Amino acid sequence: TASNITTTHPASFLLVGVPGLEHLHVWISIPFCFAYTLALLGNCTLFFIIQADAALHEPMYLFLAMLAAIDLVLSSTTLPKMLAIFWFRDREINFYACLVQMFFLHSFSIMESAVLLAMAFDRYVAICKPLHYTTVLTGSLITKIGMAAVTRAVTLMTPLPFLLRRFHYCRGPLIAHCYCEHMAVVRLACGDTRFNNIYGISVAVFIVVLDLLFVILSYIFILRAVLQLASQEARYKAFGTCVSHIGAILSTYTPVVISSVMHRVARQAAPHVHILLAIFYLLFPPMVNPIIYGVKTKQIRDHVLSLFQRKKV
């Protein structure tokens, strides 16, 4: 009977790290550790500067604080365990810890995409509807946008742990990856995994295509509004407020596109190529985004410089 059917799973999985490059794990860890340190310092600095300075409690900076918090969680979900594999060969991860890591990893990736879309909307209102900026982007709307981003991510990712828990894992406990990625775990499962495959791909395509489509649409309206400005100086100034956001979009979506193209064009490439690209996708945006916003946003740059000046005094 159905009630007597039980599923079995290993008590823990073993993460390989970077397959084929196990002998270089210590060397590979150096740039990743450096990038993770930069991500922690940069995003913590951004988050606390925005939180501490009441002048920065504007919609654009509040969205930036959300992005910094998401990047902190996203990188911290995987990098500590990854470094433990590289340095101490601590490859074992509890089955449920693996599912939790996977849930956080994919959920916060979806949240990051939503916040980037919200920031595009912020720039659209600021440039195309400047007189309505304060009345449209109110504190309550920003809170609702943040809650919607969290709700969408949690709703889409909650089924995954339950779907994976029902499988029997007869292909061994060895995950050919540095962290618990959904499809890497599915490959170890026996039985019909078609629904998991279709669901995973559908969510990824839905999020990337839909969010990116609305971001592009926002910038079409922004570009049209900028080109209608009378002076060239006004055009540069208006579009200059979007440079940081465009940089964040490129830093987030470019690795996704490259990884997707590589999976289709270079299917015969060594496994470590795809693994390194996946790690790059995780680490690059959290490391680069604080630098982009710190350099390009005058208020944040001035605040950081003032902190250093106080230390010297």
Side-chain angles (χ1 to χ4, degrees):
T1 61
S3 60
N4 290 329
I5 295 174
T6 57
T7 57
T8 59
H9 56 73
S12 59
F13 287 120
L14 293 176
L15 294 164
V16 171
V18 183
L21 298 179
E22 288 87 350
H23 60 292
L24 296 174
H25 273 178
V26 174
W27 295 105
I28 291 170
S29 71
I30 295 171
F32 291 152
C33 182
F34 178 72
Y36 181 49
T37 304
L38 281 181
L40 287 178
L41 290 173
N43 286 293
C44 283
T45 302
L46 265 184
F47 188 79
F48 287 118
I49 283 174
I50 293 168
Q51 186 187 44
D53 193 345
L56 297 180
H57 292 179
E58 297 176 9
M60 183 178 78
Y61 299 110
L62 293 175
F63 287 132
L64 181 54
M66 290 182 199
L67 188 66
I70 289 168
D71 281 341
L72 279 170
V73 175
L74 198 55
S75 55
S76 297
T77 298
T78 53
L79 260 296
K81 180 61 182 177
M82 202 182 299
L83 293 175
I85 296 168
F86 293 155
W87 291 342
F88 311 114
R89 298 183 182 178
D90 180 16
R91 301 191 302 163
E92 188 174 355
I93 183 168
N94 180 272
F95 177 80
Y96 291 104
C98 181
L99 296 186
V100 169
Q101 186 189 61
M102 182 195 68
F103 176 80
F104 272 84
L105 172 67
H106 294 305
S107 295
F108 278 83
S109 295
I110 293 172
M111 288 180 212
E112 182 166 51
S113 182
V115 171
L116 287 172
L117 175 58
M119 293 171 89
F121 175 67
D122 169 80
R123 291 299 85 206
Y124 162 75
V125 177
I127 293 172
C128 300
K129 312 280 184 184
L131 298 177
H132 302 286
Y133 184 75
T134 53
T135 55
V136 172
L137 281 163
T138 59
S140 62
L141 180 63
I142 293 166
T143 303
K144 287 175 184 176
I145 290 171
M147 292 300 295
V150 173
T151 303
R152 183 181 73 158
V154 170
T155 302
L156 288 172
M157 287 299 107
T158 295
L160 289 187
F162 294 100
L163 288 170
L164 290 173
R165 193 171 168 231
R166 67 188 175 89
F167 287 124
H168 172 61
Y169 293 87
C170 63
R171 294 192 172 97
L174 211 63
I175 298 175
H177 215 301
C178 292
Y179 51 83
C180 291
E181 192 266 335
H182 174 236
M183 291 311 299
V185 177
V186 168
R187 289 189 192 101
L188 301 180
C190 301
D192 189 357
T193 61
R194 283 178 297 177
F195 181 78
N196 284 71
N197 295 334
I198 293 167
Y199 186 80
I201 292 168
S202 299
V203 168
V205 170
F206 170 74
I207 295 299
V208 173
V209 172
L210 191 68
D211 289 0
L212 202 52
L213 181 67
F214 280 115
V215 167
I216 292 168
L217 194 62
S218 297
Y219 273 98
I220 290 171
F221 288 120
I222 288 169
L223 192 59
R224 189 175 68 175
V226 168
L227 292 175
Q228 288 174 351
L229 294 172
S231 67
Q232 192 170 5
E233 185 181 347
R235 292 173 193 168
Y236 280 131
K237 188 176 180 181
F239 202 72
T241 63
C242 302
V243 171
S244 298
H245 181 243
I246 292 170
I249 290 169
L250 290 175
S251 74
T252 301
Y253 286 108
T254 302
V256 175
V257 173
I258 292 171
S259 180
S260 179
V261 170
M262 283 294 292
H263 271 290
R264 283 150 186 79
V265 175
R267 289 184 179 181
Q268 301 303 318
H272 66 259
V273 174
H274 298 294
I275 302 297
L276 290 172
L277 274 173
I279 301 170
F280 178 73
Y281 159 70
L282 276 181
L283 264 183
F284 188 68
M287 178 184 69
V288 170
N289 287 345
I291 297 171
I292 292 171
Y293 279 96
V295 171
K296 289 293 182 182
T297 309
K298 187 178 183 298
Q299 291 91 328
I300 293 173
R301 189 172 64 246
D302 291 347
H303 202 110
V304 173
L305 289 173
S306 69
L307 287 175
F308 280 108
Q309 286 171 355
R310 284 175 196 169
K311 286 181 180 180
K312 287 180 181 179
V313 173

